[in-house]
């Protein structure tokens, strides 16, 4: 029988109670609908990914309806959005579904379907990237523990986008005006909690990801209510096996998606026979640990988009597909796009796929201690702009088939580093630099494998206390 109503009823009851854990025992449970976590502090916990299975019989097109692209064409947005386990604030989820059913294709982030659900809390004075404390015009509406958005708009000269790309002659010479998909991602919206307020001085729980300059109209704003403290643990989500759809026409046999989520997690979860595996959509400070994509093969095993920041994906696996890829399908891998920044992929095994920088100027992301059979391809419309912004790091990457594409990035990503990668050669999809001139990008310990120390850049950074608490 269909167990989705019972599971969702228990999840909703936990939410009404202010939080709790819904336990699913060992066994296989059929679900004919999607599973929704829409309240904070609610955890869905199975008995382990090898013991509890949710067997999904329907896709998101059947359950919600066709989902077109806000950028036009005949693409299905279920190719990069939505999950059969969907973690999103209840009001935000309801709004998204209503917009999809009305064919008013929505924006998917922190400020609503039309990016108009925000108000200004205060403007912010100039500050440098890496600062923990900012000075605001009026701190009366700010308090410790509050989640706010730092909002940075761009100016007519696109100096914000240039800054994300590292600045200098290359980004300054780049033609941004016709990159309409990229410019639609701006303003840059960065969620962060406030830790201290002293007069007009506000301390944040993480350092600034970018400079704050007056020409970008910097301000702290409200946003849609967040989902926080929620998780999915210890289960397998298996979709009924169907052939993979042609590229960008996915029906929505998707795995687990975190949307407008902050400090949420997925732990010990496998998805099988999915179109798209694990998604971060306008999600920040979330952790995916011990996750696995298995079965017939997928379009996006992992996707990170729509301004997702400061997330960690560690101990992840993309298994070799169990059936050959149908014609006209596409395989990406670990995707990042849409101004997503400061995300980390650590300790991974990719038996297929690639490091899919999917245009949209992602920046300051880390991939470290990963073994990859590099046989996927990157995607992204030309109107989405550059593959890479500044400060990418590829650290201790073991490429088993010797293909360079999107692995060795010293000729592609400005102010970035490729450290500890075995010898690779360009073939198949050949990467073309977006920026001219000196990229100030480094290649170190080339031709080695597992020689670089520390082995894992993220773990080494964790061991170093880089925070210097501002005086108060």
């Amino acid at each position: 029988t269909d167990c989705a109503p019972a599971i969702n009823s228990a999840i909703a009851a936990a939410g009404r109670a202010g939080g709790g854990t819904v336990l699913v025992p060992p066994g296989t449970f059929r679900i004919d609908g999607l599973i929704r976590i829409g309240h904070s502090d609610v955890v869905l916990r199975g008995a382990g990914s090898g013991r509890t299975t949710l067997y999904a019989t329907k896709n998101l097109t059947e359950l919600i309806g066709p989902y077109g692209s806000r950028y036009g064409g005949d693409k299905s947005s279920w190719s990069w959005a939505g999950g059969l386990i969907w973690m999103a604030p209840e009001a935000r989820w309801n709004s998204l579904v209503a917009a999809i059913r009305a064919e008013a294709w929505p924006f998917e982030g922190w400020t609503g379907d039309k990016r108009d659900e925000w108000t200004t809390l205060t403007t912010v004075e100039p500050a440098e990237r890496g600062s923990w404390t900012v000075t605001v015009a009026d701190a009366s509406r700010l308090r410790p523990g509050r989640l706010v958005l730092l909002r940075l708009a761009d100016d007519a000269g696109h100096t914000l986008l240039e800054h994300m790309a590292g600045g200098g002659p290359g980004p300054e010479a780049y033609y941004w005006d016709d990159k309409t998909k990229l410019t639609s991602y701006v303003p840059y919206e960065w969620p962060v909690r406030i830790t201290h307020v002293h007069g007009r001085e506000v301390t944040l729980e993480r350092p600034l990801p970018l400079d704050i300059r007056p020409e970008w109209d910097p301000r702290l704003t409200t946003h849609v209510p967040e989902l926080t403290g929620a998780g999915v643990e210890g289960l397998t989500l298996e979709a009924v096996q169907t052939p993979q759809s042609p590229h960008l026409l996915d029906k929505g046999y998707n795995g687990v998606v975190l949307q407008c989520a902050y400090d949420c997690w997925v732990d010990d979860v496998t998805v099988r026979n999915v179109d798209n595996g694990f998604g971060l959509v306008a999600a920040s400070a979330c952790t995916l640990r011990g996750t696995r994509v298995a079965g017939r093969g997928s379009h996006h095993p992992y996707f990170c988009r729509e301004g997702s920041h400061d997330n960690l994906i560690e101990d992840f696996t993309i298994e070799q597909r169990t059936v050959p890829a149908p014609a006209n399908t596409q395989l990406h891998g670990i995707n990042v796009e849409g101004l997503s920044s400061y995300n980390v992929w650590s300790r991974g095994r990719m038996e297929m796929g690639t490091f899919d920088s999917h245009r949209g100027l992602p920046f300051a992301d880390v991939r470290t201690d990963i073994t990859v059979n590099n046989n996927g391809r990157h995607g992204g419309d030309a109107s989405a702009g550059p593959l890479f912004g500044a400060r990418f790091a590829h650290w201790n990457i073991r490429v088993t088939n010797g293909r360079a594409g999107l692995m060795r990035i010293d000729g592609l990503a400005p102010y970035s580093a490729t450290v500890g990668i075995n010898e690779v050669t360009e073939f198949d999809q050949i990467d073309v630099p977006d920026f001219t001139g000196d990229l100030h990008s480094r290649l170190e310990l080339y031709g080695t494998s597992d020689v670089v120390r520390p082995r894992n850049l993220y773990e080494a950074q964790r061991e170093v206390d880089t925070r210097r608490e501002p005086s108060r």
Side-chain angles (χ1 to χ4, degrees), residues 92-125:
R92 187 73 185 100
W93 190 88
N94 289 336
S95 174
L96 285 164
V97 169
I100 292 166
R101 289 176 172 163
E103 299 186 0
W105 314 130
F107 285 92
E108 299 159 275
W110 285 99
T111 49
D113 298 342
K114 298 180 181 179
R115 297 195 79 176
D116 59 356
E117 296 179 38
W118 61 276
T119 59
T120 298
L121 297 170
T122 182
T123 56
V124 186
E125 294 186 5

Side-chain angles (χ1 to χ4, degrees), residues 10-21 39-42:
I11 291 171
R16 290 193 300 271
T21 300
H39 293 88
S40 294
D41 303 313
V42 173

Side-chain angles (χ1 to χ4, degrees), residues 125-347:
E125 294 186 5
E128 292 185 355
R129 176 172 60 89
S131 300
W132 292 81
T133 299
V134 294
T135 302
V136 301
D138 178 9
S140 61
R141 300 177 65 187
L142 307 179
R143 66 180 187 279
R146 180 169 188 173
L147 185 71
V148 297
L149 283 187
L150 171 65
R151 185 181 192 273
L152 299 178
D154 206 356
D155 58 10
H158 299 296
T159 59
L160 176 62
L161 295 175
E162 290 175 2
H163 178 53
M164 293 174 179
E172 289 172 3
Y174 186 81
Y175 189 71
W176 302 94
D177 285 338
D178 62 348
K179 308 304 186 294
T180 51
K181 192 170 185 178
L182 173 62
T183 54
S184 77
Y185 298 151
V186 181
Y188 177 81
E189 295 169 341
W190 183 65
V192 66
R193 287 203 190 279
I194 294 169
T195 59
H196 302 286
V197 179
H198 183 71
R200 294 195 300 123
E201 301 295 313
V202 177
T203 303
L204 309 174
E205 71 174 350
R206 297 193 308 284
L208 290 177
L210 295 165
D211 289 351
I212 293 179
R213 301 178 187 173
E215 55 264 36
W216 302 332
D217 189 24
R219 54 188 66 207
L220 300 179
T221 76
T222 64
H223 48 82
V224 299
E226 70 271 17
L227 183 73
T228 190
V232 178
E233 304 174 354
L235 58 81
T236 290
L237 173 67
E238 180 174 352
V240 58
Q241 186 166 328
T242 59
Q244 187 177 343
S245 297
H247 190 219
L248 299 177
L249 297 178
D250 296 350
K251 295 180 177 66
Y253 290 106
N254 295 347
V256 184
V257 165
L258 296 83
Q259 185 163 5
C260 296
Y262 190 90
D263 192 17
C264 295
W265 66 89
V266 179
D267 193 358
D268 181 29
V269 172
T270 295
V271 296
R272 182 173 286 114
N273 300 331
V274 294
D275 293 337
N276 302 282
F278 295 90
L280 296 159
V281 182
S284 291
C286 295
T287 300
L288 276 60
R289 180 176 289 117
T291 56
R292 179 181 300 264
V293 180
R296 54 96 154 146
S298 57
H299 180 189
H300 296 97
Y302 292 83
F303 56 98
C304 178
R305 52 178 294 272
E306 203 78 7
S308 289
H309 315 294
D310 306 292
N311 298 293
L312 171 65
I313 303 94
E314 68 177 355
D315 297 313
F316 66 94
T317 302
I318 302 173
E319 293 187 1
Q320 183 60 252
R321 63 189 315 135
T322 55
V323 297
N328 302 315
T329 61
Q330 190 59 270
L331 165 67
H332 295 311
I334 53 174
N335 153 280
V336 61
E337 61 180 288
L339 305 183
S340 296
S341 63
Y342 294 87
N343 301 289
V344 174
W345 292 261
S346 170
R347 290 200 308 268

Side-chain angles (χ1 to χ4, degrees), residues 304 313 316 333-337 343-348 350 354-359 362 364-370 378 387-388 391-398 405-409 413 417-420 455-458:
C304 178
I313 303 94
F316 66 94
I334 53 174
N335 153 280
V336 61
E337 61 180 288
N343 301 289
V344 174
W345 292 261
S346 170
R347 290 200 308 268
M350 299 172 58
T354 194
F355 291 178
D356 175 30
S357 293
H358 206 90
R359 301 199 179 276
D365 296 298
V366 172
R367 292 131 169 180
T368 182
D369 195 8
I370 299 171
H378 78 71
L387 286 168
F388 296 94
R391 300 186 303 283
F392 264 76
H394 287 182
W395 185 285
N396 190 16
I397 306 301
R398 302 168 293 276
L406 297 171
M407 304 287 129
R408 177 178 168 175
I409 57 173
T418 306
V419 181
R455 174 188 176 95
N456 187 295
L457 179 60
Y458 168 72

